[in-house]
Amino acid sequence: MPSSQTYAVVGAARLFALLAIGGPIVWLHQEQGLLALGAVSCVWVYQAITATRRELELSLSPMTEAAAIGVIGALAMKDAPVILAALVVAPLYATAVAGVRTMVRTVLVELIAVIALGLMWWEEITYEEGISIFTWSMAGLGLSMIAAVTFSSDRVPDPLAPYRDAQEHLKQLIGLAGSLSSGLDVGALGGELLSQVSDDIPNRALVLYVPRGDALSPVASTVDLEAADAVATETLAGDVRLQEAEPSMPIEIGEGFAFRVSDQAIVAGLRPAGADTSRPLPLNAVARDLADTAVKLDAALLFAQFRDAATADERNRLAREMHDGVAQDIASLGYIIDALAARPADEQQAKALNMLRDRVSKVVAEVRQSVMNLRTSIGESESLGAAISNVARHLSESSGIPIRVRLDEQPTRLRPEVEAELFRIAQEAMNNAVKHARATSIDVRCQVYAPEAIITVTDDGVGLQSARADSHGLKIMRERARLIGAELVVRDNASRGLTVSVALKIPRSSPGGHAAMSSPSLTEQR
């Protein structure tokens, strides 16, 4: 990335070139030359202004600048031959921002522009004009070759460049967030897109798929599909995804069809029973009509991926700090207590130290459990249910409370960010049952039929209690549910204990209708 000093050198070269060209033109009162000088000045002033905001990428490319200078030089060289001296600067600019190869191409563009237009406009180029064109072009080439040694050091990869780019993009994202009229809810946008498809294509089922690694995950659907229909639509969407042609072509096989609506999204569907399958559907036209909604959906998917990655990084950072900081400090206190307990002053002090040692041991165990929770990731498991089972096993081993997990899953995975939020909700519900419910047993049921899921955590403890001032568990669970459009319900059981249930229901869109958003249920905090 060129430094500010590099742009300052190019700016100084342009200034001196304008002075060198403008002096003879003003001295000789060449009116056409003044017009040409003004045109060159406008180009270079624009380049200088846009260089101060390089992140906007508004500056002309080196070859575009070279073409503009070549055209101006060709039109004015008869009346003001000195204008050809401007040919020196564009190669220098190309060397500064792009390197020697681009500089060579820039010189060629300048030569072609000035010679071709000069012959077309003036019908001839005199010997003196040809010498001037060659001299100034070669001067620009030579000076640029010399300057390449200096400029090359400025293009050494900057290790902080990705962070600077991230800063600029994040600032832009924050500024744009308020202007996103449709929000960044993947489920809602997916339902809106399917509703638009239903308006144009008769169907009995539509499913919207997005990539997840080598597989596809359903985002929204218009009906609950039978197993055979679900396999058919997923197969058709996978065939569209595997196409090497750009753009990928729609697929129609029997009653089934699939077509790509964006870089990340594919719609697959089934025609109504008994429909005439000999008539092709206007899938390409529908895809073009969906362009605006598809852009919104892609933006929402990218934002979800970014949020998931940022959250994972933050959790890992907190886990490291807790493990290397708080946990080690508390463990050190335990060693000090052990040393004091070895030589107590009296029996009363010995009992107090033993109680303190037990308390420290419990705190260390809780910190270690928190570190394990932070580091546990859904991406490490084969499925959402497998990740929940793994956490339940660790919790049961550390607490001594039996936790039974029942799984009912299909192979199709949910989107990563959705699985991550559901996993954290289930994890928090189990942690609450272990820490606060005084339960003797916990039951967990995980049902996943992508793109929908229901997770229920039931204990036989004390049930809902008045919220503590430092209790944020259920509030965070609600926020997680709201992020993915799920419904969280917390209720007392008929006998005793508490049930925490989170249900992800994809909004259904019917022909001519719009998807309805579900709103999370707000209940009393534990």
Side-chain angles (χ1 to χ4, degrees):
M1 178 184 294
S3 65
S4 298
Q5 184 177 1
T6 298
Y7 282 96
V9 171
V10 175
R14 288 171 175 154
L15 177 61
F16 281 110
L18 287 175
L19 293 174
I21 295 169
I25 290 176
V26 172
W27 180 262
L28 298 174
H29 303 287
Q30 297 171 338
E31 294 183 2
Q32 296 298 321
L34 287 174
L35 293 176
L37 181 64
V40 172
S41 299
C42 289
V43 173
W44 286 348
V45 168
Y46 173 81
Q47 293 288 75
I49 293 173
T50 55
T52 62
R53 297 293 301 275
R54 296 192 290 276
E55 71 278 4
L56 299 179
E57 298 182 358
L58 295 175
S59 298
L60 301 177
S61 67
M63 284 185 285
T64 302
E65 178 182 326
I69 297 301
V71 169
I72 296 170
L75 296 176
M77 64 182 178
K78 293 289 185 182
D79 300 307
V82 71
I83 199 68
L84 295 173
L87 299 175
V88 173
V89 178
L92 186 66
Y93 170 54
T95 304
V97 301
V100 174
R101 292 185 179 180
T102 302
M103 180 270 291
V104 173
R105 290 195 291 268
T106 299
V107 173
L108 293 176
V109 168
E110 274 190 331
L111 287 172
I112 292 171
V114 70
I115 293 174
L117 187 60
L119 290 173
M120 293 172 59
W121 188 260
W122 300 109
E123 296 184 353
E124 67 170 353
I125 295 178
T126 65
Y127 177 79
E128 291 78 10
E129 292 165 352
I131 292 296
S132 295
I133 293 172
F134 177 80
T135 300
W136 291 119
S137 298
M138 290 303 102
L141 179 64
L143 290 174
S144 300
M145 293 293 289
I146 296 171
V149 178
T150 302
F151 291 148
S152 61
S153 61
D154 290 327
R155 284 191 300 276
V156 174
D158 182 3
L160 296 179
Y163 292 93
R164 295 192 179 97
D165 291 341
Q167 287 179 349
E168 294 300 329
H169 292 311
L170 289 172
K171 289 177 183 177
Q172 292 176 22
L173 179 60
I174 292 171
L176 288 171
S179 62
L180 298 175
S181 58
S182 300
L184 291 171
D185 188 295
V186 175
L189 291 170
E192 178 185 343
L193 188 144
L194 290 187
S195 179
Q196 292 178 250
V197 175
S198 293
D199 291 340
D200 297 324
I201 299 177
N203 67 85
R204 59 183 172 89
L206 289 174
V207 186
L208 178 64
Y209 291 95
V210 297
R212 174 169 183 172
D214 296 331
L216 290 169
S217 291
V219 171
S221 62
T222 55
V223 297
D224 291 318
L225 293 176
E226 299 291 336
D229 289 342
V231 171
T233 55
E234 186 173 353
T235 301
L236 288 168
D239 290 343
V240 171
R241 185 190 183 194
L242 292 175
Q243 287 183 9
E244 297 180 357
E246 289 294 341
S248 57
M249 300 298 295
I251 291 177
E252 293 186 61
I253 301 177
E255 293 183 354
F257 60 89
F259 61 105
R260 185 180 292 277
V261 294
S262 72
D263 293 338
Q264 301 191 65
I266 298 172
V267 171
L270 300 171
R271 297 193 192 202
D276 183 6
T277 58
S278 62
R279 297 180 60 184
L281 297 172
L283 300 180
N284 285 324
V286 173
R288 287 192 295 270
D289 293 339
L290 296 172
D292 292 346
T293 306
V295 170
K296 298 176 184 177
L297 177 63
D298 279 354
L301 289 167
L302 289 171
F303 178 77
Q305 294 171 14
F306 165 75
R307 189 191 68 201
D308 189 46
T311 302
D313 286 344
E314 183 63 12
R315 296 182 73 90
N316 288 332
R317 184 188 67 80
L318 289 173
R320 287 193 301 271
E321 290 185 0
M322 290 178 65
H323 180 271
D324 299 335
V326 177
Q328 301 301 329
D329 291 341
I330 296 175
S332 299
L333 291 176
Y335 299 144
I336 295 173
I337 295 171
D338 289 339
L340 294 174
R343 294 185 297 274
D346 51 42
E347 184 177 351
Q348 185 177 1
Q349 187 185 66
K351 290 181 180 179
L353 289 172
N354 287 333
M355 290 177 58
L356 183 58
R357 187 66 180 87
D358 290 341
R359 182 56 185 161
V360 168
S361 297
K362 290 181 180 179
V363 172
V364 170
E366 289 187 1
V367 170
R368 287 174 177 169
Q369 181 64 44
S370 297
V371 170
M372 194 264 308
N373 290 342
L374 287 169
R375 284 182 171 170
T376 303
S377 171
I378 185 66
E380 300 169 357
S381 302
E382 295 180 357
S383 68
L384 175 60
I388 292 174
S389 297
N390 186 41
V391 170
R393 183 174 62 256
H394 285 294
L395 275 174
S396 183
E397 291 172 353
S398 61
S399 65
I401 301 174
I403 302 177
R404 183 176 64 171
V405 180
R406 290 176 292 170
L407 303 181
D408 182 9
E409 295 184 291
Q410 288 183 338
T412 304
R413 299 287 294 268
L414 299 165
R415 300 196 320 278
E417 66 275 10
V418 172
E419 285 190 349
E421 300 299 350
L422 291 175
F423 170 72
R424 297 301 176 189
I425 291 171
Q427 185 182 53
E428 182 64 25
M430 289 187 286
N431 279 329
N432 283 347
V434 168
K435 293 179 180 179
H436 310 303
R438 298 197 292 275
T440 59
S441 67
I442 301 171
D443 287 326
V444 180
R445 182 170 179 80
C446 176
Q447 296 174 283
V448 179
Y449 295 88
E452 299 183 348
I454 301 176
I455 300 174
T456 304
V457 179
T458 304
D459 65 63
D460 61 354
V462 297
L464 281 173
Q465 302 294 306
S466 58
R468 304 186 313 276
D470 60 345
S471 176
H472 303 288
L474 291 182
K475 180 180 178 182
I476 293 173
M477 290 162 65
R478 292 192 190 100
E479 291 174 352
R480 291 187 182 280
R482 190 179 299 112
L483 282 173
I484 57 176
E487 182 180 11
L488 180 71
V489 176
V490 182
R491 67 179 184 274
D492 278 317
N493 298 331
S495 55
R496 59 172 292 168
L498 189 72
T499 295
V500 178
S501 177
V502 58
L504 176 68
K505 296 290 186 181
I506 296 300
R508 302 299 183 195
S509 55
S510 58
H514 295 283
M517 286 299 297
S518 60
S519 58
S521 170
L522 300 181
T523 58
E524 183 182 358
Q525 290 190 8
R526 186 194 287 265

